[in-house]
């Protein structure tokens, strides 16, 4: 599902959930974004880590964020059919040390062990579906041990 479809689905779900009719004034831009109207071009391009010829897509997330949790299955589906010209990477945010910092370290540890494919979604599930806090080293160690990680 692309971003536009996801946004439309979310708007439709919100309208149904609130009992409000769809908003007739909401329409997608036709012809794409226009420089000077929808965005401004930077005088100096932002640095990227994508190889030449690739578009870098960066996801900023936090394991404790309900919106990130809701978005994860859609992102995973998109990553499963990632176009060849896309370089994707995740960046866990840390607005303050607790609980953001420990979740950030959890992500980078899982990434360094090569366990993102097997543990990333499970961490979201543990926090949001099972109600695990995973905000202390002992709790994280117990969780990953139950996942078969030494």
């Amino acid at each position: 599902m692309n971003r536009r479809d996801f946004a439309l689905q979310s708007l439709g779900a919100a309208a149904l959930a609130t009992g409000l009719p769809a908003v007739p004034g909401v329409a997608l831009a036709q012809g794409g974004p226009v420089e000077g109207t929808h965005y401004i071009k930077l005088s100096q391009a932002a640095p990227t880590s994508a190889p030449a010829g690739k578009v870098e897509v960066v996801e900023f997330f936090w394991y404790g964020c309900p919106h990130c949790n809701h978005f994860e299955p859609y992102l995973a589906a998109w990553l499963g059919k990632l176009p060849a010209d896309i370089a994707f990477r995740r960046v866990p945010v840390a607005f303050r040390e607790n609980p953001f910092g420990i979740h950030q370290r959890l992500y980078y540890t899982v990434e360094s062990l090569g366990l993102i494919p097997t543990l990333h979604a499970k961490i979201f599930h543990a926090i949001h579906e099972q109600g695990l806090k995973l905000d202390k080293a002992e709790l994280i160690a117990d969780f990953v041990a139950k996942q078969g990680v030494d």
Side-chain angles (χ1 to χ4, degrees):
M1 175 176 290
N2 65 34
R3 177 184 53 81
R4 202 168 276 183
D5 290 343
F6 180 75
L8 285 175
Q9 181 182 6
S10 297
L11 282 172
L16 286 173
T18 60
L20 296 174
V23 181
V26 175
L28 298 174
Q30 300 301 311
V34 176
E35 184 178 347
T37 302
H38 301 106
Y39 70 94
I40 55 172
K41 188 172 182 176
L42 300 174
S43 59
Q44 181 177 349
T48 68
S49 60
K54 291 208 174 202
V55 175
E56 182 175 49
V57 175
V58 182
E59 178 206 19
F60 294 93
F61 77 96
W62 170 48
Y63 281 127
C65 171
H67 308 293
C68 298
N69 177 58
H70 181 75
F71 184 66
E72 185 59 29
Y74 298 106
L75 179 60
W78 180 73
L79 290 173
K81 54 184 179 184
L82 193 68
D85 66 338
I86 301 294
F88 177 81
R89 67 184 176 102
R90 291 181 168 100
V91 176
V93 298
F95 297 113
R96 61 181 181 276
E97 179 53 33
N98 238 345
F100 297 96
I102 198 159
H103 286 173
Q104 189 178 50
R105 289 188 297 280
L106 171 59
Y107 172 79
Y108 285 124
T109 301
V110 169
E111 181 187 50
S112 70
L113 294 171
L115 297 173
I116 291 298
T118 57
L119 286 183
H120 186 69
K122 289 180 180 180
I123 294 168
F124 274 116
H125 183 77
I127 293 170
H128 296 280
E129 306 303 321
Q130 297 174 336
L132 300 179
K133 294 281 186 202
L134 299 185
D135 60 353
K136 293 182 176 47
E138 317 78 65
L139 298 173
I140 292 170
D142 288 344
F143 170 76
V144 295
K146 288 177 183 169
Q147 306 308 311
V149 179
D150 183 2

